[in-house]
């Protein structure tokens, strides 16, 4: 059985936000978030988690702070 | 104009009085990258425009016409958008034929190709005479819209086939034009990857540890004022993270969510 580091979508989303901040560099010479500072809105759905709902969804808005 | 989140721009416009929308206008485009990052592949593009007028439809109601200036003919709006895309396609194809297209695979200047941001800006200029950030664009022809009559405008350009594991990629621009307060005008730009489906091992219940299940992820980068097509790189990062989320290297996470307080 594989061991996952995350039980919750909240934790996975936070990790995803940090990974994007760390690795997504539109212009490597600039600040990672550009002058204005971009923000990520990450929405994750698990269709099979709640059988009688179309989707439970967890959504978060995170600043790309270098 | 200052760059704000799309939500802020829309809220600043207030509740609309009179709206004209064109939703999901389909055509083909050549220029933006495809799902594999290749340039110059012809692919479908879907365009939606939303216009909030600052006054109700008074003259057009009274005259029962669309020439009074307080609305816009949605047919004219649609044809203008389609013509803009077609002109862009001709321009790109001429460059390809002349061998002047950017075939190196690196992100060239905006003159070398028409990426998604350039396409959106071209349509925006044709409609408003201005760039997305509000600067005068010195358009070739008289713009369709009278910005003095608008409170809010949004334009979304979607590439439904530009994502390998998702349902598409879109770029949205929005402007708010507050009356009498030009200093409060603002613009928004947001890149979004829609519904990335990645099998992931996740869940608090024991049964969720026995097999992967789909996590369907939307990733939106808001306040993203940047030109070259980068959605393939973004998708690659997101998919890699989702697949690797079960590895032990994730002990480095700090579980701190950093919330932006800048406005």
């Amino acid at each position: 059985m594989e061991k996952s580091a995350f039980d919750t979508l909240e934790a996975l989303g936070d990790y995803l936000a940090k990974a994007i901040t760390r690795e997504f560099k539109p212009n490597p010479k600039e600040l990672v978030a550009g002058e204005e500072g971009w923000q990520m809105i990450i929405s994750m759905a698990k269709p099979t988690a709640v059988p009688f709902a179309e989707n439970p969804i967890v959504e978060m808005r995170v600043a790309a702070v270098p | 104009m200052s760059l704000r989140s799309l939500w802020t721009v829309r809220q600043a416009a207030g509740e609309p009085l009179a709206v004209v929308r064109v939703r999901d206008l389909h055509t083909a485009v050549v220029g933006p990258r495809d799902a594999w990052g290749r340039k110059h592949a012809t692919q479908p593009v879907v365009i939606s425009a939303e216009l909030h007028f600052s006054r109700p439809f008074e003259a057009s109601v009274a005259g029962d016409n669309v020439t009074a200036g307080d609305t816009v003919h949605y047919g004219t709006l649609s044809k203008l958008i389609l013509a803009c895309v077609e002109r862009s396609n001709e321009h790109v194809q001429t460059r390809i034929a002349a061998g002047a297209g950017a075939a190196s695979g690196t992100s060239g200047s905006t003159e070398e190709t028409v990426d998604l941001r350039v396409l959106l800006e071209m349509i925006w200029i044709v409609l408003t005479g201005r760039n997305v950030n509000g600067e005068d664009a010195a358009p070739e022809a008289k713009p369709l819209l009278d910005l003095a009559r608008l409170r809010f405008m949004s334009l979304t350009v979607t590439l439904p086939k530009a994502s390998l594991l998702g349902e598409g990629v879109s770029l949205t621009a929005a402007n708010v034009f507050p009356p009498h307060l030009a200093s409060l005008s603002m613009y928004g730009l947001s890149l979004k990857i829609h519904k990335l489906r990645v099998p992931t091992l996740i869940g608090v219940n024991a049964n969720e540890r026995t097999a992967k299940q789909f996590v369907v992820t939307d990733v939106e980068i808001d306040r993203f004022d940047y030109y070259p097509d980068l959605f393939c790189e973004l998708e690659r990062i997101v998919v890699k993270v989702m697949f690797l989320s079960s590895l032990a290297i994730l002990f480095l996470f700090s579980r701190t969510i950093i919330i932006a307080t800048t406005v």
Side-chain angles (χ1 to χ4, degrees), chain B residues 36-58:
Chain B
W36 283 270
R38 300 175 302 185
K39 292 183 187 180
H40 305 150
T42 303
Q43 57 181 312
V45 63
V46 179
I47 300 160
S48 294
E50 182 176 344
L51 310 172
H52 296 190
F53 290 88
S54 49
R55 304 281 312 160
F57 297 131
E58 289 166 337

Side-chain angles (χ1 to χ4, degrees), chain B residues 172-190:
Chain B
T172 299
N175 269 197
V176 62
F177 314 103
H180 314 304
L181 289 167
S183 57
L184 288 186
S185 60
M186 49 184 86
Y187 75 104
L189 270 166
S190 182

Side-chain angles (χ1 to χ4, degrees), chain A residues 23-57:
Chain A
E23 299 184 32
F24 186 52
K25 296 192 185 330
N27 184 347
K29 294 177 197 152
E30 288 176 348
L31 291 174
V32 65
E35 287 180 10
E36 299 282 350
W38 36 268
Q39 296 191 346
M40 295 160 285
I41 300 156
I42 296 170
S43 168
M44 291 158 293
K46 270 203 307 187
T48 43
V50 178
F52 287 95
E54 185 177 331
N55 272 312
I57 299 173

